[in-house]
Amino acid sequence: MTYRAPVSEMLFALRHVAGLDAVLGDDLTADDARTILEEAARVADGVIAPLNRAGDRHGTPLRDGAVTTAPGWREAYRTWIDGGWNGLSADPDHGGQGLPLLLNAACTEMWNGASIAFGLCPLLTAGGIEALAQHGSEDLKARYLGKLVSGEWTATMNLTEPQAGSDLALLRSRAEPVGDGRYRIVGAKIYITYGEHDLADNIVHLVLARLKDAPAGTRGISLFLVPKVLPDGTLNDLRCSGIEHKLGIHGSPTCSMAFGDDGGAIGWLIGEENRGLACMFTMMNAARLGVGLQGVGIAERATQGALAYARERRQGRAPGAQGTSAIVEHADVQRMLLTMKAYTAAARGICYLTAAALDAARGAEGQAAHDRASLLTPVAKAFSTDIANEVTSLGVQVHGGMGFVEETGAAQHMRDARILGIYEGTNGIQAIDLVTRKLPLRDGATVRAQLASLRRVAEGLLKDADPAYGHMGARLRAGIEALDRATSFQLRALASNRPETALPGATPYLRLFGLVQGAACLAQGARAARAALQAGDTDPGHAGRIALARFFAENELTAAAGLADTVMDGGAFTETAALALVG
Amino acid sequence: MTYRAPVSEMLFALRHVAGLDAVLGDDLTADDARTILEEAARVADGVIAPLNRAGDRHGTPLRDGAVTTAPGWREAYRTWIDGGWNGLSADPDHGGQGLPLLLNAACTEMWNGASIAFGLCPLLTAGGIEALAQHGSEDLKARYLGKLVSGEWTATMNLTEPQAGSDLALLRSRAEPVGDGRYRIVGAKIYITYGEHDLADNIVHLVLARLKDAPAGTRGISLFLVPKVLPDGTLNDLRCSGIEHKLGIHGSPTCSMAFGDDGGAIGWLIGEENRGLACMFTMMNAARLGVGLQGVGIAERATQGALAYARERRQGRAPGAQGTSAIVEHADVQRMLLTMKAYTAAARGICYLTAAALDAARGAEGQAAHDRASLLTPVAKAFSTDIANEVTSLGVQVHGGMGFVEETGAAQHMRDARILGIYEGTNGIQAIDLVTRKLPLRDGATVRAQLASLRRVAEGLLKDADPAYGHMGARLRAGIEALDRATSFQLRALASNRPETALPGATPYLRLFGLVQGAACLAQGARAARAALQAGDTDPGHAGRIALARFFAENELTAAAGLADTVMDGGAFTETAALALVG
């Protein structure tokens, strides 16, 4: 088996965790939403997923400057853009369908569950669309947005240089005005995803570079649109100079790019001079949620594969069983599978909540929703991708020796997932962003409001007092208190201008946040499932949703208090790290 | 950089954590021990480690029945056996040097830090030596032990068949007596490590098979010695029928073996008929500690690589720094590096303690030490290899985008390490072994004695009351109490014959055990370092040992109470797993 988009689970999370119903109405009914997801699933399952292995095997060879994707990929991409999927939530003014980002989030999960190497291409294009739509001149928008929204052309982010990865202040690429509104760009970039490929007729590179006499550091960086094919149909002065030999996502080319071998690639400024970083963050923030959804997608795929194998493979005898049992009957295998499934669902909930907040930010709620999305984005990115590593590794483990053999496919998921915690801002940087930039939003009121929303879920659980919940209510309440303690600690450290106290605990703080928020998402789902059962709904999934939420609370959320302790008194190491890291 | 065996760290752990001094005397002084480790390090660092990458790239192609290792491997193996390393702790009666297993454990860590694909070959041979020495006839021992101890010949374990992995009761390979003491073996085996290769002139296969009319299940399995080359110099009726395409350890061949294509491979019985499983466990128990040491070795190597990179790579500015900082100055990178280093040291301590218990079992302490080794072996195997996965993944993360590029080497460590939690009994099986077979040893007295030894360390910390310890004493005490609670819970469940209550918590119980035991090892090292500093020792490593132990207690041991909670009330999922695993 490859991948089947879990449409019912997605729809359940969209409605009962992320609040899709708030945007439903005459324009978009619940039936419409299901129809859209089912259509997307047909493409993800039937067109993209079967190509994932071929992408891994074939790679993306570079010959004479041209990069070739695996057989079948061009046709699949064409089918995909012909279905209008690239512009699902883009502005109708630019040819998009204007549907909620929340629905697009579910579809993004599907494309990436089918193949993260494939799903990565439109993810970059989406970032480019966002940057161009928000910061581009009318002229640039008119020339490029339509083709990018349709997916006929794709976009890239050209940020990284060998000496400038997480630290963009070290950028050296140069830009010089030609005088007619155009610029000439010269420089070398690395790790450019889909920097060159054969899926589209044109590639729109968004390139960070410095103007002459620009201030040093990040305040002297500008963003340029540098197309592979110029408006007059000639090729621009840029080329793919190499392809990385990577651990995973072999189906997607990771390129070194050379701009301006022959004097300078032609580009146009996006936004203002020296304000490129702001544009870049627009592009990156959109992409960060997308990367979180990649994590959810591949975790889902790994879980499906492990579960199918565990049902089939017979070894040993479970207590009380007659004869050999399918390994899904063994408690330790069940623990692995439930862990995989629960973390996947928890991360899905967090990512969908983030998308819903972005939708709400466009509506009446405005700034508060925008801030909520800002708060949740680093958690959606880092937690979902951390657990993608864990879940895909468990997927290998469930397969036993077969998991280590490449033909099985479980190992590919683990290899593919490993990039997710690194690109679009490493997960360490997400944690720093969460603590130093997002917690202080509105003087802490944003995170306090989020904690209040979590408490409402816990109170609901305790009020229901359903025996099927087990210790879920108590565990969630304790988890929220742990998150509250750690949050107060971090806010105090920041308020008294002691970043050196807040930073050491950033990563365990983000984990704690994700764990508690994820548990609350599952618990909210459990409450909705219970209510549905009581209302006579016969969906066989409801009892499982309650059981899964309970599993997560009783087996994983137990880590919350320990994480809070680590945040609050674990930071002593920064004083002695140099000692402990000798030798 | 590739790998440098951490000789001083190893010697410190051997002496102050695992009690090497108890076996020191006139025959073996502390200086001798250091000299041996330094000699071993020269071979590991200078001869083996540089070949690790070549092994990954070259693989082990199979052509016309012959398997070729990477260029340089034959010569390296020859150098290694010429140094007498294979028989370091083997019985002098068989040509071994009779040194403590504890010293051999440190050397095993080195071979595998240099290359786990290389170190795997002697690890299998060691298992074969153990099984043969304990269960083989005098005739078989006379014929095979000398060459196996010298390493001129290597050994394999032929257990797994496609339908029989963790569950050996399902074995189908057949054996039939020829009448002259020999047997004819027919069957197909998979996942046979070094089943065929070019490092040695003969390969001694230890093969599990069923005699005709043997009882069904594991009570009808016998163990046979089936050499590639027969005593008369002719080739036996066996061949390598295929090589697996694996995620990692590409340098070591993983073979499918066909026995008896032409009527039956000639073999000799080891031990009694139908008692093969006992012999196999002898072989496997020795190998399990070896696999734990593979985990320590590769974790050490990954840590060294990450640390070297973090010192060199400059990105961003740490709080208070002028200009760009080496990333080792950033708190989140320090956390990753310290986590890597601390888990590596914790796992090393557990593995060395296990080896020391095996040495003690040969001496006056006898059975109690044997039982202690039995208790610790599954922890040494599973905890060390679980953390090897985590540490090597962190190693990729520290490298950022470079970590995902194969040329860097960090990704190879992660790929290589992934098998360790699977082979020689999956880590889930180790956890079940710990809980259901090891906790009940001597009615729980073995584990209670171990808990008492941990308490002595915590009491010592509290007595020292050194401010440099931070919260280490309190955290260790709390961790031990958590382990005590969980242990009592498991013992009660087993005593009342409720394995279905004990089994669901087996994996978190093993993790908790490893965490607390590992923290105690680090704390004991910290106490010894403190005592040395007070005695005027100027070793610059001592302050770092204290800092690392404190880091582990304050940042990782914080998870202990939550793990105990998971063990004690997390098992409810077995009743509802089927519900939660639908769809």
Side-chain angles (χ1 to χ4, degrees), chain B residues 404-546:
Chain B
F404 198 66
V405 173
E406 287 285 1
E407 280 72 11
T408 313
Q412 186 192 339
H413 302 327
M414 184 179 146
R415 288 189 288 101
D416 285 351
R418 191 63 192 82
I419 189 60
L420 302 176
I422 296 172
Y423 65 22
E424 301 305 336
T426 65
N427 285 2
I429 283 178
Q430 304 299 324
I432 293 168
D433 176 56
L434 172 65
V435 169
T436 63
R437 283 191 286 268
K438 305 306 172 59
L439 292 189
L441 284 173
R442 295 195 291 149
D443 272 337
T446 301
V447 67
R448 292 272 164 231
Q450 196 60 23
L451 281 164
S453 80
L454 300 176
R455 281 206 183 83
R456 284 193 291 278
V457 179
E459 282 157 16
L461 288 175
L462 294 166
K463 202 186 66 189
D464 291 349
D466 193 321
Y469 291 169
H471 301 294
M472 181 168 24
R475 290 279 179 233
L476 184 58
R477 192 168 52 182
I480 295 164
E481 293 320 312
L483 179 58
D484 191 314
R485 284 198 299 282
T487 302
S488 297
F489 173 88
Q490 294 290 37
L491 286 171
R492 276 197 306 275
L494 295 167
S496 50
N497 202 19
R498 285 183 283 112
E500 71 282 5
T501 308
L503 288 174
T507 290
Y509 178 79
L510 187 147
R511 179 73 180 201
L512 172 60
F513 198 124
L515 198 61
V516 177
Q517 179 67 65
C521 290
L522 289 179
Q524 192 169 326
R527 292 199 70 211
R530 175 176 181 272
L533 285 172
Q534 290 189 336
D537 186 337
T538 57
D539 177 349
H542 287 321
R545 289 177 187 120
I546 297 170

Side-chain angles (χ1 to χ4, degrees), chain B residues 61-68 196 228 235 238-243:
Chain B
L62 166 69
R63 279 190 206 95
D64 303 327
V67 170
T68 316
E196 177 55 38
K228 174 181 170 183
L235 287 173
L238 61 90
R239 64 187 175 88
C240 170
S241 54
I243 290 278

Side-chain angles (χ1 to χ4, degrees), chain A residues 123-333:
Chain A
L123 209 130
L124 274 290
T125 304
I129 291 170
E130 195 77 13
L132 199 55
Q134 286 198 30
H135 305 284
S137 67
E138 288 309 314
D139 181 47
L140 274 186
K141 287 202 267 191
R143 247 190 297 151
Y144 289 98
L145 268 181
K147 297 276 196 184
L148 287 173
V149 166
S150 71
E152 284 165 277
W153 295 353
T154 70
T156 70
M157 294 192 207
N158 280 252
L159 280 51
T160 304
E161 298 175 9
Q163 78 293 345
S166 298
D167 187 351
L168 293 171
L170 305 175
L171 279 186
R172 290 186 198 139
S173 289
R174 301 246 145 230
E176 221 176 307
V178 175
D180 55 0
R182 300 184 304 163
Y183 292 78
R184 287 195 180 277
I185 320 288
V186 178
K189 296 285 181 178
I190 59 169
Y191 302 157
I192 308 309
T193 301
Y194 280 97
E196 177 55 39
H197 61 82
D198 59 358
L199 300 181
D201 300 332
N202 199 0
I203 301 171
V204 179
H205 300 289
L206 301 198
V207 183
L208 287 183
R210 284 184 190 290
L211 286 161
K212 211 177 157 187
D213 306 323
T218 53
R219 294 206 181 95
I221 296 173
S222 306
L223 182 65
F224 299 91
L225 185 154
V226 187
K228 173 182 171 184
V229 182
L230 290 163
D232 64 5
T234 61
L235 286 174
N236 207 342
D237 177 12
L238 61 90
R239 66 187 173 90
C240 170
S241 54
I243 290 278
E244 300 292 350
H245 173 221
K246 307 188 297 281
L247 174 61
I249 54 166
H250 296 162
S252 63
T254 302
C255 306
S256 309
M257 299 297 297
F259 292 91
D261 280 355
D262 294 327
I266 295 298
W268 289 266
L269 187 68
I270 297 180
E272 293 172 40
E273 290 191 350
N274 300 331
R275 297 294 302 276
L277 218 61
C279 308
M280 193 276 298
F281 269 113
T282 300
M283 184 157 76
M284 215 157 188
N285 266 326
R288 282 176 177 180
L289 173 57
V291 174
L293 288 161
Q294 292 195 292
V296 177
I298 191 141
E300 172 69 34
R301 185 179 181 135
T303 303
Q304 290 183 13
L307 188 49
Y309 181 79
R311 285 189 179 129
E312 206 170 86
R313 174 77 171 167
R314 306 187 80 81
Q315 292 284 284
R317 188 175 357 191
Q322 305 292 324
T324 304
S325 306
I327 62 171
V328 71
E329 299 298 326
H330 295 297
D332 76 301
V333 176

Side-chain angles (χ1 to χ4, degrees), chain A residues 390-402:
Chain A
E390 295 160 24
V391 167
T392 53
S393 181
L394 281 172
V396 170
Q397 191 71 24
V398 169
H399 284 81
M402 296 275 286

Side-chain angles (χ1 to χ4, degrees), chain A residues 167 311 316 341 393 418 581, chain B residues 167 311 316 393 418 581-582:
Chain A
D167 187 351
R311 285 189 179 129
K341 189 155 180 169
S393 181
R418 192 62 193 83
L581 292 175
Chain B
D167 186 352
R311 284 188 179 129
S393 181
R418 191 63 192 82
L581 292 175
V582 290

